[in-house]
């Protein structure tokens, strides 16, 4: 709803969409429910992100963002 059901990378409207955390869910618990730390992505764009299914992230990877 926040992004009008539109992928913020490719512009796909509707379909199967994910909410992507900009700063990792596991590393930034204080931002887990902050809508400013999220964007809407289609599954194909989500798969292209660094954080998709990545369990080797470190908090330092996000500090300069």
């Amino acid at each position: 709803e926040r992004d009008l059901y539109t992928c913020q990378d490719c512009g796909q409207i509707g379909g199967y969409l994910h909410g992507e955390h900009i700063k990792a869910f596991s590393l930034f618990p204080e931002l887990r429910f902050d809508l400013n730390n999220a964007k809407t992505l289609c599954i194909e764009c989500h798969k292209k992100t660094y954080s998709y299914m990545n369990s080797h992230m470190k908090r330092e990877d996000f500090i300069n963002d």
Side-chain angles (χ1 to χ4, degrees), residues 39-57:
K39 66 179 180 176
T40 303
L41 295 178
C42 69
I43 184 67
E44 294 306 315
C45 288
H46 195 196
K47 286 179 182 178
K48 295 175 190 173
T49 65
Y50 172 75
S51 61
Y52 183 77
M53 303 296 281
N54 187 343
S55 61
H56 296 84
M57 292 181 298

Side-chain angles (χ1 to χ4, degrees), residues 4 8 15 18 28 34 36 41 45-47 55 63-65:
L4 301 174
Q8 297 303 291
H18 286 185
F28 294 86
D34 183 346
N36 293 316
L41 295 178
C45 288
H46 195 196
K47 286 179 182 178
S55 61
I63 299 301
N64 294 322
D65 287 352

